[in-house]
Amino acid sequence: MTAPAITVVLPVYNRAKTVAATIASVLAQDWPDFELVVVDDCSTDGSAAVVASLTDARIRTVRQPENRGPSAARNRGVIEARAPLISFVDSDDLFLPHKLGFVKRYFDANPDIEVLIDSFEILYPRFAHWKRRAARTNPDLRDSAAIECAVLDRTAYKATPAISARRQTLIDAGLFDEALRRREDMDIVLRLTQCARVAMTSELLWRKFHTRGSLSAQLDTFIPTVI
């Protein structure tokens, strides 16, 4: 079987209500040459059944042997991936239709770049009337040191679904730190700036939904997992 151009890694844990919409947004891409690796982190709410009901041949599902958290699920997806390029999506977010096409064309046009961090739109639910929608637009940069500074001084955004990278680069960087419960996106971006050629783009490529159940909404979880 010919390897796809891009692997999209989707970790899922108890997202039966949202994961179908996330998958639909990936399947609707204007770049069709991809696989979607869904890593079920031992869901107990029917998420696995929702994914199994979707019959597109580009979907491949693997199940973790035990619940180990999103970083371990993403790492499993990277290891399982057949494509040389990896993009990530979370199970309550949506890709815009041109996401993968933009990513593929960017890496093709810039063979020296190993990591691309894109921009996105964040939507807040109805309980947050004071702030419903906002663009998270990154600067256009092609300098790893400048991107490191921008992330550290919070003038750039680095949510995990904004990260696309060459698969081997992620492996060489050590993948996601599975001991972190939060800010694993910042951790891996900072490590990538130390060992890879990283770029940022202002192109808005996906939508993030800030919900009560998302890790980004849990302000008290920036602690290591007890081993």
Side-chain angles (χ1 to χ4, degrees):
M1 184 181 296
T2 303
I6 304 175
T7 295
V8 180
V9 174
L10 167 57
V12 177
Y13 178 68
N14 288 352
R15 286 292 186 175
K17 294 181 179 179
T18 61
V19 69
T22 298
I23 291 174
S25 77
V26 177
L27 298 179
Q29 293 298 292
D30 59 16
W31 178 272
D33 186 17
F34 65 86
E35 66 172 353
L36 173 60
V37 176
V38 180
V39 184
D40 189 286
D41 198 23
C42 292
S43 295
T44 60
D45 72 336
S47 294
V50 171
V51 176
S53 71
L54 305 173
T55 58
D56 193 291
R58 292 170 294 182
I59 302 172
R60 185 156 54 95
T61 303
V62 296
R63 184 173 172 86
Q64 292 285 73
E66 59 184 2
N67 179 262
R68 296 177 54 196
S71 289
R74 293 187 186 107
N75 289 345
R76 174 80 182 276
V78 173
I79 298 302
E80 295 279 348
R82 296 189 297 118
L85 291 177
I86 307 290
S87 288
F88 298 96
V89 65
D90 287 345
S91 55
D92 56 353
D93 297 328
L94 302 175
F95 277 1
L96 295 177
H98 62 299
K99 160 87 172 185
L100 295 184
F102 183 94
V103 167
K104 181 63 167 63
R105 289 188 292 270
Y106 192 98
F107 279 100
D108 285 350
N110 299 277
D112 60 313
I113 296 300
E114 297 166 291
V115 181
L116 176 65
I117 302 170
D118 61 42
S119 300
F120 57 98
E121 184 178 57
I122 187 166
L123 284 81
Y124 292 83
R126 292 194 179 108
F127 64 79
H129 294 288
W130 54 276
K131 192 174 185 183
R132 296 292 300 278
R133 182 186 295 252
R136 295 293 187 251
T137 306
N138 280 318
D140 292 296
L141 295 172
R142 289 173 49 92
D143 182 283
S144 295
I147 291 170
E148 177 187 25
C149 291
V151 170
L152 288 171
D153 66 17
R154 297 175 181 266
T155 58
Y157 305 97
K158 40 52 185 169
T160 304
I163 302 169
S164 296
R166 301 189 190 275
R167 177 177 181 271
Q168 191 59 51
T169 300
L170 290 168
I171 293 171
D172 291 345
L175 297 174
F176 290 88
D177 187 338
E178 298 180 10
L180 292 179
R181 292 282 305 280
R182 193 164 180 264
R183 302 289 173 85
E184 68 275 12
D185 48 3
M186 175 180 282
D187 173 74
I188 196 167
V189 166
L190 292 177
R191 283 190 284 115
L192 286 166
T193 62
Q194 297 300 308
C195 67
R197 291 177 290 277
V198 183
M200 273 185 167
T201 176
S202 59
E203 191 78 16
L204 295 171
L205 297 182
W206 59 283
R207 288 181 176 142
K208 178 177 181 62
F209 290 85
H210 186 89
T211 62
R212 285 188 175 99
S214 65
L215 282 178
S216 59
Q218 299 172 25
L219 301 180
D220 59 344
T221 58
F222 189 28
I223 56 174
T225 301
V226 176
I227 303 296

